[in-house]
Amino acid sequence: MEQFSGSDSLDALISICPPKEKKDEQINTHGYSEEFRAMLDRINGEDLSYETSQVLEKRRRLSLYQVKELERSFEVENRLEPDRKVNLAEELGLQPRQVAIWFQNRRTRLKTKQLQRDFSLLKDSYDALKLDCNNLEQEKEALTSTLRELKEKLYRQSSEGNHSVEEESLISEFDNNVSDRRQTGDLFENGEKAVRVYSDSKDGSSDCVSNSLADRFRDSESREVPGKAYQPQPTRMEEQSTYCNFFSVDQAPTLHWYFPEQ
DNA sequence: TTGTGTTTTATTGCCTCC
DNA sequence: GGAGGCAATAAAACACAA
């Protein structure tokens, strides 16, 4: 509980002995019991005619002028030094305790508003991130679907034992697909930061997925493995269940399903 | 007029600082 | 231990729709 002294003592006493709890006692013309009034007399030891008439009034809202002045003072400094409190109280015809309470409540309102603003900013940020995440999920699904189709075609063609010309066709189909999506902003719309794929070329340079894949195809053409026909393993690709696993910068794709001998 | 929700003023209890 | 701050809460005052 706050401790009170001097002119605050009467307010404090009122709070300790609220009039409503004296309903069953003899009530005087001010609405308070004789016992309660006598107690006030004993404590203050002086004429209470003015002070009690102020205190015993019903709660009133502060006037427009009082609120404006308090607001003005609050803007300068939202903490009250004792001297400033007394001066403000005298200036506005209030009890120093009323000024202190007003500042306390005002700080509470300020804090509440600030929290609401912070919450709003965080919510906006969350919504934007969620949207980005959804877009990336859609990109992932589209790319996975494209990849699956290409794998199926490749598997069919390799089963027929003739893949040199068709491979080139598939590479350009894949490249066109990626290129179209890039041009329409459907792919890499976040500046490629989230979907870059590093090639495992010897010089360590990075490249986008289309070029890397094309290089791999071209490498595979020049590669000669005597007595060993190329055997893709399409089912292993499904193990790359998440977008991040497949396209993140932290883990370059191994493409081991293309090159099982790797 | 009245019920209901919101705002403002004030109290209470706990905590920290000096 | 006193002074003052804060969170939670009460209660009066006010706004407003039905």
Side-chain angles (χ1 to χ4, degrees), chain A residues 224-238:
Chain A
E224 289 188 12
V225 183
K228 187 176 180 184
Y230 175 62
Q231 293 292 333
Q233 300 180 351
T235 55
R236 297 183 64 182
M237 192 58 207
E238 267 59 48

Side-chain angles (χ1 to χ4, degrees), chain A residues 108-165:
Chain A
T108 301
R109 287 197 290 272
L110 182 68
K111 186 179 177 181
T112 303
K113 277 189 177 180
Q114 187 58 51
L115 280 172
Q116 286 170 343
R117 275 197 291 270
D118 290 348
F119 175 80
S120 179
L121 288 175
L122 281 172
K123 188 174 181 302
D124 289 348
S125 175
Y126 168 79
D127 289 343
L129 277 173
K130 195 177 175 186
L131 196 62
D132 279 352
C133 183
N134 290 340
N135 290 337
L136 287 172
E137 282 291 334
Q138 286 175 3
E139 285 178 16
K140 178 196 111 177
E141 286 171 16
L143 286 170
T144 303
S145 172
T146 302
L147 217 44
R148 190 180 298 115
E149 289 170 13
L150 292 174
K151 277 160 48 187
E152 286 168 359
K153 284 183 183 177
L154 197 61
Y155 184 74
R156 278 198 301 273
Q157 287 161 5
S158 100
S159 297
E160 292 163 3
N162 182 12
H163 51 81
S164 61
V165 175

Side-chain angles (χ1 to χ4, degrees), chain A residues 46-261:
Chain A
E46 57 187 47
D47 182 15
L48 295 175
S49 57
Y50 172 74
E51 203 168 357
T52 50
S53 68
Q54 295 281 95
V55 168
L56 301 182
E57 279 182 358
K58 272 204 158 189
R59 181 186 296 182
R60 292 274 168 82
R61 290 206 170 184
L62 305 182
S63 71
L64 198 62
Y65 171 74
Q66 287 169 325
V67 172
K68 272 187 176 177
E69 289 301 307
L70 287 166
E71 286 283 358
R72 207 156 57 97
S73 182
F74 185 84
E75 280 182 18
V76 174
E77 172 62 58
N78 69 0
R79 303 272 174 185
L80 265 181
E81 307 83 48
D83 287 350
R84 190 154 152 257
K85 177 170 69 176
V86 171
N87 290 339
L88 255 178
E90 285 178 357
E91 184 185 332
L92 300 175
L94 297 169
Q95 295 294 319
R97 173 159 168 72
Q98 282 182 291
V99 175
I101 288 168
W102 189 91
F103 266 70
Q104 180 58 56
N105 288 325
R106 186 67 182 79
R107 282 194 294 271
T108 301
R109 287 197 290 272
L110 182 68
K111 186 179 177 181
T112 303
K113 277 189 177 180
Q114 187 58 51
L115 280 172
Q116 286 170 343
R117 275 197 291 270
D118 290 348
F119 175 80
S120 179
L121 288 175
L122 281 172
K123 188 174 181 302
D124 289 348
S125 175
Y126 168 79
D127 289 343
L129 277 173
K130 195 177 175 186
L131 196 62
D132 279 352
C133 183
N134 290 340
N135 290 337
L136 287 172
E137 282 291 334
Q138 286 175 3
E139 285 178 16
K140 178 196 111 177
E141 286 171 16
L143 286 170
T144 303
S145 172
T146 302
L147 217 44
R148 190 180 298 115
E149 289 170 13
L150 292 174
K151 277 160 48 187
E152 286 168 359
K153 284 183 183 177
L154 197 61
Y155 184 74
R156 278 198 301 273
Q157 287 161 5
S158 100
S159 297
E160 292 163 3
N162 182 12
H163 51 81
S164 61
V165 175
E166 287 77 4
E167 275 184 359
E168 287 298 335
S169 160
L170 284 175
I171 291 165
S172 65
E173 184 179 340
F174 187 85
D175 283 348
N176 288 339
N177 189 307
V178 171
S179 177
D180 288 347
R181 291 162 60 76
R182 177 183 266 180
Q183 282 174 3
T184 58
D186 191 24
L187 188 61
F188 305 132
E189 65 178 17
N190 296 312
E192 301 190 51
K193 65 183 176 186
V195 290
R196 288 184 66 190
V197 174
Y198 290 98
S199 73
D200 53 354
S201 61
K202 287 176 184 175
D203 63 356
S205 62
S206 63
D207 203 347
C208 72
V209 61
S210 58
N211 288 336
S212 172
L213 202 54
D215 289 345
R216 282 299 195 171
F217 271 107
R218 291 189 183 96
D219 284 348
S220 74
E221 280 195 331
S222 61
R223 189 176 315 187
E224 289 188 12
V225 183
K228 187 176 180 184
Y230 175 62
Q231 293 292 333
Q233 300 180 351
T235 55
R236 297 183 64 182
M237 192 58 207
E238 267 59 48
E239 293 173 14
Q240 305 284 352
S241 58
T242 65
Y243 191 71
C244 289
N245 281 345
F246 187 60
F247 283 131
S248 77
V249 294
D250 295 325
Q251 182 184 354
T254 62
L255 299 181
H256 51 271
W257 56 274
Y258 266 114
F259 308 105
E261 70 275 16

Side-chain angles (χ1 to χ4, degrees), chain A residues 13-54:
Chain A
L13 182 64
I14 297 292
S15 72
I16 293 167
C17 309
K20 282 191 172 180
E21 294 174 9
K22 307 274 184 181
K23 279 179 184 171
D24 53 345
E25 296 180 17
Q26 186 183 357
I27 303 300
N28 66 14
T29 53
H30 290 283
Y32 292 83
S33 72
E34 293 297 343
E35 186 183 331
F36 180 60
R37 193 175 176 80
M39 188 160 56
L40 295 180
D41 287 342
R42 280 199 302 278
I43 288 173
N44 279 19
E46 57 187 47
D47 182 15
L48 295 175
S49 57
Y50 172 74
E51 203 168 357
T52 50
S53 68
Q54 295 281 95

